[in-house]
Amino acid sequence: MSDEGKGDGDVVTEEVVFKPHEKWTLAEQTHSMNNQKGLNALFTALSPDQFSNISNCETSKEAWDILQVTYEGTNAVKESKLQR
């Protein structure tokens, strides 16, 4: 894509085209199923307050990372606690 004619305020958007489920490979099907199982396990194990923190996550990894930072802190926080 050329940058000609683009001003500072122009926004370039990408269109995402999803592959139909019928064309998924076995690996993609397995990955999707495992992701949904992971999200389901997290969603059912949490209280309503905790659930609201991750309810908009699309992957179980994304949800897990949010919960990990929320309850364990970042690496900098962990190192600070260890130094005390």
Side-chain angles (χ1 to χ4, degrees):
M1 179 180 279
S2 171
D3 288 337
E4 290 180 25
K6 290 184 183 178
D8 290 337
D10 291 344
V11 176
V12 177
T13 59
E14 282 188 33
E15 182 178 339
V16 177
V17 178
F18 293 101
K19 185 190 288 190
H21 292 282
E22 299 83 32
K23 295 186 178 184
W24 283 11
T25 64
L26 181 59
E28 290 169 330
Q29 291 173 0
T30 303
H31 185 274
S32 178
M33 186 177 8
N34 289 340
N35 182 58
Q36 294 307 315
K37 285 180 179 181
L39 277 174
N40 186 49
L42 290 172
F43 287 168
T44 57
L46 299 175
S47 71
D49 292 333
Q50 295 167 322
F51 174 77
S52 66
N53 291 334
I54 64 166
S55 61
N56 293 327
C57 294
E58 293 186 16
T59 66
S60 53
K61 172 71 170 138
E62 181 183 2
W64 183 262
D65 289 343
I66 289 172
L67 292 171
Q68 187 175 23
V69 169
T70 301
Y71 293 101
E72 292 184 8
T74 62
N75 286 336
V77 172
K78 291 178 196 176
E79 288 178 20
S80 174
K81 288 179 182 179
L82 287 173
Q83 289 176 358
R84 284 190 260 156

PDB file of all heavy atoms in Angstrom, residues 50-74:
ATOM      1  N   GLN A  50     -14.423 -11.667  39.438  1.00  0.00           N
ATOM      2  CA  GLN A  50     -13.249 -12.098  38.692  1.00  0.00           C
ATOM      3  C   GLN A  50     -13.593 -12.316  37.224  1.00  0.00           C
ATOM      4  O   GLN A  50     -12.812 -11.994  36.338  1.00  0.00           O
ATOM      5  CB  GLN A  50     -12.681 -13.385  39.290  1.00  0.00           C
ATOM      6  CG  GLN A  50     -12.153 -13.227  40.693  1.00  0.00           C
ATOM      7  CD  GLN A  50     -11.898 -14.570  41.342  1.00  0.00           C
ATOM      8  OE1 GLN A  50     -12.655 -15.520  41.151  1.00  0.00           O
ATOM      9  NE2 GLN A  50     -10.827 -14.653  42.128  1.00  0.00           N
ATOM     10  N   PHE A  51     -14.779 -12.857  36.984  1.00  0.00           N
ATOM     11  CA  PHE A  51     -15.222 -13.127  35.618  1.00  0.00           C
ATOM     12  C   PHE A  51     -15.290 -11.840  34.801  1.00  0.00           C
ATOM     13  O   PHE A  51     -14.930 -11.831  33.622  1.00  0.00           O
ATOM     14  CB  PHE A  51     -16.584 -13.812  35.621  1.00  0.00           C
ATOM     15  CG  PHE A  51     -17.176 -13.991  34.250  1.00  0.00           C
ATOM     16  CD1 PHE A  51     -16.713 -14.989  33.416  1.00  0.00           C
ATOM     17  CD2 PHE A  51     -18.186 -13.159  33.798  1.00  0.00           C
ATOM     18  CE1 PHE A  51     -17.244 -15.155  32.144  1.00  0.00           C
ATOM     19  CE2 PHE A  51     -18.722 -13.317  32.536  1.00  0.00           C
ATOM     20  CZ  PHE A  51     -18.256 -14.321  31.714  1.00  0.00           C
ATOM     21  N   SER A  52     -15.708 -10.754  35.417  1.00  0.00           N
ATOM     22  CA  SER A  52     -15.823  -9.489  34.679  1.00  0.00           C
ATOM     23  C   SER A  52     -14.473  -9.007  34.164  1.00  0.00           C
ATOM     24  O   SER A  52     -14.421  -8.292  33.165  1.00  0.00           O
ATOM     25  CB  SER A  52     -16.490  -8.416  35.542  1.00  0.00           C
ATOM     26  OG  SER A  52     -15.662  -8.081  36.634  1.00  0.00           O
ATOM     27  N   ASN A  53     -13.381  -9.403  34.822  1.00  0.00           N
ATOM     28  CA  ASN A  53     -12.046  -9.011  34.364  1.00  0.00           C
ATOM     29  C   ASN A  53     -11.654  -9.692  33.059  1.00  0.00           C
ATOM     30  O   ASN A  53     -10.882  -9.140  32.272  1.00  0.00           O
ATOM     31  CB  ASN A  53     -10.985  -9.346  35.411  1.00  0.00           C
ATOM     32  CG  ASN A  53     -11.094  -8.482  36.637  1.00  0.00           C
ATOM     33  OD1 ASN A  53     -11.597  -7.374  36.581  1.00  0.00           O
ATOM     34  ND2 ASN A  53     -10.618  -8.998  37.747  1.00  0.00           N
ATOM     35  N   ILE A  54     -12.160 -10.895  32.815  1.00  0.00           N
ATOM     36  CA  ILE A  54     -11.724 -11.655  31.642  1.00  0.00           C
ATOM     37  C   ILE A  54     -12.854 -11.979  30.672  1.00  0.00           C
ATOM     38  O   ILE A  54     -12.645 -12.688  29.692  1.00  0.00           O
ATOM     39  CB  ILE A  54     -11.025 -12.968  32.056  1.00  0.00           C
ATOM     40  CG1 ILE A  54     -11.984 -13.900  32.780  1.00  0.00           C
ATOM     41  CG2 ILE A  54      -9.780 -12.692  32.875  1.00  0.00           C
ATOM     42  CD1 ILE A  54     -11.466 -15.314  32.912  1.00  0.00           C
ATOM     43  N   SER A  55     -14.028 -11.458  30.902  1.00  0.00           N
ATOM     44  CA  SER A  55     -15.182 -11.835  30.077  1.00  0.00           C
ATOM     45  C   SER A  55     -15.033 -11.449  28.604  1.00  0.00           C
ATOM     46  O   SER A  55     -15.663 -12.055  27.745  1.00  0.00           O
ATOM     47  CB  SER A  55     -16.462 -11.237  30.644  1.00  0.00           C
ATOM     48  OG  SER A  55     -16.377  -9.825  30.655  1.00  0.00           O
ATOM     49  N   ASN A  56     -14.215 -10.473  28.299  1.00  0.00           N
ATOM     50  CA  ASN A  56     -14.044 -10.045  26.910  1.00  0.00           C
ATOM     51  C   ASN A  56     -12.870 -10.720  26.212  1.00  0.00           C
ATOM     52  O   ASN A  56     -12.597 -10.409  25.048  1.00  0.00           O
ATOM     53  CB  ASN A  56     -13.868  -8.526  26.837  1.00  0.00           C
ATOM     54  CG  ASN A  56     -15.128  -7.797  27.247  1.00  0.00           C
ATOM     55  OD1 ASN A  56     -16.230  -8.270  27.009  1.00  0.00           O
ATOM     56  ND2 ASN A  56     -14.964  -6.651  27.874  1.00  0.00           N
ATOM     57  N   CYS A  57     -12.189 -11.617  26.887  1.00  0.00           N
ATOM     58  CA  CYS A  57     -11.032 -12.294  26.291  1.00  0.00           C
ATOM     59  C   CYS A  57     -11.485 -13.298  25.232  1.00  0.00           C
ATOM     60  O   CYS A  57     -12.497 -13.979  25.399  1.00  0.00           O
ATOM     61  CB  CYS A  57     -10.229 -13.029  27.366  1.00  0.00           C
ATOM     62  SG  CYS A  57      -9.450 -11.915  28.533  1.00  0.00           S
ATOM     63  N   GLU A  58     -10.712 -13.391  24.161  1.00  0.00           N
ATOM     64  CA  GLU A  58     -11.038 -14.322  23.088  1.00  0.00           C
ATOM     65  C   GLU A  58     -10.216 -15.600  23.160  1.00  0.00           C
ATOM     66  O   GLU A  58     -10.572 -16.599  22.541  1.00  0.00           O
ATOM     67  CB  GLU A  58     -10.834 -13.652  21.734  1.00  0.00           C
ATOM     68  CG  GLU A  58     -11.829 -12.532  21.489  1.00  0.00           C
ATOM     69  CD  GLU A  58     -11.729 -11.963  20.092  1.00  0.00           C
ATOM     70  OE1 GLU A  58     -11.113 -12.605  19.220  1.00  0.00           O
ATOM     71  OE2 GLU A  58     -12.269 -10.874  19.885  1.00  0.00           O
ATOM     72  N   THR A  59      -9.106 -15.572  23.910  1.00  0.00           N
ATOM     73  CA  THR A  59      -8.297 -16.784  24.045  1.00  0.00           C
ATOM     74  C   THR A  59      -8.071 -17.084  25.517  1.00  0.00           C
ATOM     75  O   THR A  59      -8.073 -16.187  26.366  1.00  0.00           O
ATOM     76  CB  THR A  59      -6.924 -16.636  23.356  1.00  0.00           C
ATOM     77  OG1 THR A  59      -6.166 -15.640  24.040  1.00  0.00           O
ATOM     78  CG2 THR A  59      -7.070 -16.263  21.892  1.00  0.00           C
ATOM     79  N   SER A  60      -7.873 -18.365  25.803  1.00  0.00           N
ATOM     80  CA  SER A  60      -7.623 -18.759  27.183  1.00  0.00           C
ATOM     81  C   SER A  60      -6.281 -18.212  27.666  1.00  0.00           C
ATOM     82  O   SER A  60      -6.135 -17.868  28.839  1.00  0.00           O
ATOM     83  CB  SER A  60      -7.674 -20.282  27.327  1.00  0.00           C
ATOM     84  OG  SER A  60      -6.816 -20.907  26.402  1.00  0.00           O
ATOM     85  N   LYS A  61      -5.305 -18.082  26.776  1.00  0.00           N
ATOM     86  CA  LYS A  61      -3.999 -17.523  27.133  1.00  0.00           C
ATOM     87  C   LYS A  61      -4.145 -16.067  27.565  1.00  0.00           C
ATOM     88  O   LYS A  61      -3.549 -15.637  28.558  1.00  0.00           O
ATOM     89  CB  LYS A  61      -3.037 -17.647  25.939  1.00  0.00           C
ATOM     90  CG  LYS A  61      -1.709 -16.937  26.106  1.00  0.00           C
ATOM     91  CD  LYS A  61      -0.819 -17.626  27.107  1.00  0.00           C
ATOM     92  CE  LYS A  61       0.579 -17.032  27.047  1.00  0.00           C
ATOM     93  NZ  LYS A  61       1.159 -16.840  28.334  1.00  0.00           N
ATOM     94  N   GLU A  62      -4.933 -15.311  26.833  1.00  0.00           N
ATOM     95  CA  GLU A  62      -5.170 -13.905  27.167  1.00  0.00           C
ATOM     96  C   GLU A  62      -5.828 -13.793  28.546  1.00  0.00           C
ATOM     97  O   GLU A  62      -5.417 -12.981  29.369  1.00  0.00           O
ATOM     98  CB  GLU A  62      -6.058 -13.283  26.093  1.00  0.00           C
ATOM     99  CG  GLU A  62      -6.378 -11.827  26.284  1.00  0.00           C
ATOM    100  CD  GLU A  62      -7.333 -11.296  25.225  1.00  0.00           C
ATOM    101  OE1 GLU A  62      -7.782 -12.055  24.348  1.00  0.00           O
ATOM    102  OE2 GLU A  62      -7.637 -10.099  25.290  1.00  0.00           O
ATOM    103  N   ALA A  63      -6.825 -14.636  28.806  1.00  0.00           N
ATOM    104  CA  ALA A  63      -7.508 -14.626  30.096  1.00  0.00           C
ATOM    105  C   ALA A  63      -6.551 -15.022  31.221  1.00  0.00           C
ATOM    106  O   ALA A  63      -6.525 -14.396  32.289  1.00  0.00           O
ATOM    107  CB  ALA A  63      -8.705 -15.576  30.065  1.00  0.00           C
ATOM    108  N   TRP A  64      -5.757 -16.056  30.984  1.00  0.00           N
ATOM    109  CA  TRP A  64      -4.797 -16.522  31.986  1.00  0.00           C
ATOM    110  C   TRP A  64      -3.789 -15.436  32.328  1.00  0.00           C
ATOM    111  O   TRP A  64      -3.468 -15.219  33.495  1.00  0.00           O
ATOM    112  CB  TRP A  64      -4.092 -17.779  31.498  1.00  0.00           C
ATOM    113  CG  TRP A  64      -3.159 -18.339  32.520  1.00  0.00           C
ATOM    114  CD1 TRP A  64      -1.810 -18.165  32.591  1.00  0.00           C
ATOM    115  CD2 TRP A  64      -3.518 -19.124  33.654  1.00  0.00           C
ATOM    116  NE1 TRP A  64      -1.303 -18.810  33.687  1.00  0.00           N
ATOM    117  CE2 TRP A  64      -2.329 -19.393  34.366  1.00  0.00           C
ATOM    118  CE3 TRP A  64      -4.729 -19.616  34.131  1.00  0.00           C
ATOM    119  CZ2 TRP A  64      -2.324 -20.148  35.526  1.00  0.00           C
ATOM    120  CZ3 TRP A  64      -4.715 -20.373  35.290  1.00  0.00           C
ATOM    121  CH2 TRP A  64      -3.530 -20.623  35.973  1.00  0.00           C
ATOM    122  N   ASP A  65      -3.279 -14.754  31.309  1.00  0.00           N
ATOM    123  CA  ASP A  65      -2.296 -13.689  31.535  1.00  0.00           C
ATOM    124  C   ASP A  65      -2.881 -12.560  32.376  1.00  0.00           C
ATOM    125  O   ASP A  65      -2.214 -12.027  33.258  1.00  0.00           O
ATOM    126  CB  ASP A  65      -1.772 -13.143  30.210  1.00  0.00           C
ATOM    127  CG  ASP A  65      -0.866 -14.129  29.489  1.00  0.00           C
ATOM    128  OD1 ASP A  65      -0.384 -15.096  30.129  1.00  0.00           O
ATOM    129  OD2 ASP A  65      -0.639 -13.932  28.277  1.00  0.00           O
ATOM    130  N   ILE A  66      -4.130 -12.198  32.133  1.00  0.00           N
ATOM    131  CA  ILE A  66      -4.781 -11.148  32.926  1.00  0.00           C
ATOM    132  C   ILE A  66      -4.913 -11.593  34.377  1.00  0.00           C
ATOM    133  O   ILE A  66      -4.608 -10.832  35.306  1.00  0.00           O
ATOM    134  CB  ILE A  66      -6.159 -10.790  32.335  1.00  0.00           C
ATOM    135  CG1 ILE A  66      -5.972 -10.032  31.020  1.00  0.00           C
ATOM    136  CG2 ILE A  66      -6.979  -9.958  33.321  1.00  0.00           C
ATOM    137  CD1 ILE A  66      -7.250  -9.797  30.244  1.00  0.00           C
ATOM    138  N   LEU A  67      -5.343 -12.827  34.579  1.00  0.00           N
ATOM    139  CA  LEU A  67      -5.482 -13.331  35.950  1.00  0.00           C
ATOM    140  C   LEU A  67      -4.131 -13.430  36.644  1.00  0.00           C
ATOM    141  O   LEU A  67      -4.010 -13.114  37.832  1.00  0.00           O
ATOM    142  CB  LEU A  67      -6.174 -14.695  35.945  1.00  0.00           C
ATOM    143  CG  LEU A  67      -7.645 -14.680  35.534  1.00  0.00           C
ATOM    144  CD1 LEU A  67      -8.149 -16.104  35.352  1.00  0.00           C
ATOM    145  CD2 LEU A  67      -8.480 -13.921  36.544  1.00  0.00           C
ATOM    146  N   GLN A  68      -3.120 -13.843  35.917  1.00  0.00           N
ATOM    147  CA  GLN A  68      -1.783 -13.979  36.501  1.00  0.00           C
ATOM    148  C   GLN A  68      -1.252 -12.623  36.963  1.00  0.00           C
ATOM    149  O   GLN A  68      -0.738 -12.502  38.072  1.00  0.00           O
ATOM    150  CB  GLN A  68      -0.838 -14.611  35.485  1.00  0.00           C
ATOM    151  CG  GLN A  68       0.516 -14.939  36.046  1.00  0.00           C
ATOM    152  CD  GLN A  68       1.381 -15.681  35.034  1.00  0.00           C
ATOM    153  OE1 GLN A  68       1.170 -15.594  33.836  1.00  0.00           O
ATOM    154  NE2 GLN A  68       2.354 -16.407  35.539  1.00  0.00           N
ATOM    155  N   VAL A  69      -1.378 -11.608  36.143  1.00  0.00           N
ATOM    156  CA  VAL A  69      -0.902 -10.272  36.523  1.00  0.00           C
ATOM    157  C   VAL A  69      -1.746  -9.718  37.663  1.00  0.00           C
ATOM    158  O   VAL A  69      -1.220  -9.097  38.594  1.00  0.00           O
ATOM    159  CB  VAL A  69      -0.928  -9.319  35.300  1.00  0.00           C
ATOM    160  CG1 VAL A  69      -0.699  -7.879  35.725  1.00  0.00           C
ATOM    161  CG2 VAL A  69       0.119  -9.737  34.298  1.00  0.00           C
ATOM    162  N   THR A  70      -3.054  -9.982  37.639  1.00  0.00           N
ATOM    163  CA  THR A  70      -3.944  -9.480  38.685  1.00  0.00           C
ATOM    164  C   THR A  70      -3.594 -10.057  40.050  1.00  0.00           C
ATOM    165  O   THR A  70      -3.573  -9.336  41.049  1.00  0.00           O
ATOM    166  CB  THR A  70      -5.410  -9.823  38.349  1.00  0.00           C
ATOM    167  OG1 THR A  70      -5.740  -9.228  37.097  1.00  0.00           O
ATOM    168  CG2 THR A  70      -6.352  -9.302  39.416  1.00  0.00           C
ATOM    169  N   TYR A  71      -3.320 -11.356  40.111  1.00  0.00           N
ATOM    170  CA  TYR A  71      -3.137 -11.997  41.407  1.00  0.00           C
ATOM    171  C   TYR A  71      -1.687 -12.244  41.794  1.00  0.00           C
ATOM    172  O   TYR A  71      -1.392 -12.397  42.976  1.00  0.00           O
ATOM    173  CB  TYR A  71      -3.943 -13.298  41.456  1.00  0.00           C
ATOM    174  CG  TYR A  71      -5.415 -12.971  41.421  1.00  0.00           C
ATOM    175  CD1 TYR A  71      -6.154 -13.094  40.258  1.00  0.00           C
ATOM    176  CD2 TYR A  71      -6.047 -12.464  42.542  1.00  0.00           C
ATOM    177  CE1 TYR A  71      -7.490 -12.747  40.218  1.00  0.00           C
ATOM    178  CE2 TYR A  71      -7.377 -12.119  42.515  1.00  0.00           C
ATOM    179  CZ  TYR A  71      -8.093 -12.260  41.350  1.00  0.00           C
ATOM    180  OH  TYR A  71      -9.414 -11.896  41.323  1.00  0.00           O
ATOM    181  N   GLU A  72      -0.773 -12.279  40.840  1.00  0.00           N
ATOM    182  CA  GLU A  72       0.632 -12.481  41.174  1.00  0.00           C
ATOM    183  C   GLU A  72       1.453 -11.226  40.950  1.00  0.00           C
ATOM    184  O   GLU A  72       2.525 -11.087  41.504  1.00  0.00           O
ATOM    185  CB  GLU A  72       1.220 -13.624  40.338  1.00  0.00           C
ATOM    186  CG  GLU A  72       0.663 -14.981  40.690  1.00  0.00           C
ATOM    187  CD  GLU A  72       1.336 -16.081  39.897  1.00  0.00           C
ATOM    188  OE1 GLU A  72       2.316 -15.827  39.187  1.00  0.00           O
ATOM    189  OE2 GLU A  72       0.861 -17.219  39.988  1.00  0.00           O
ATOM    190  N   GLY A  73       0.982 -10.340  40.104  1.00  0.00           N
ATOM    191  CA  GLY A  73       1.729  -9.137  39.781  1.00  0.00           C
ATOM    192  C   GLY A  73       2.663  -9.372  38.609  1.00  0.00           C
ATOM    193  O   GLY A  73       2.802 -10.482  38.120  1.00  0.00           O
ATOM    194  N   THR A  74       3.293  -8.320  38.176  1.00  0.00           N
ATOM    195  CA  THR A  74       4.243  -8.422  37.074  1.00  0.00           C
ATOM    196  C   THR A  74       5.570  -8.952  37.605  1.00  0.00           C
ATOM    197  O   THR A  74       5.762  -9.090  38.816  1.00  0.00           O
ATOM    198  CB  THR A  74       4.464  -7.048  36.423  1.00  0.00           C
ATOM    199  OG1 THR A  74       5.017  -6.177  37.417  1.00  0.00           O
ATOM    200  CG2 THR A  74       3.173  -6.470  35.890  1.00  0.00           C
TER     201      THR A  74
END
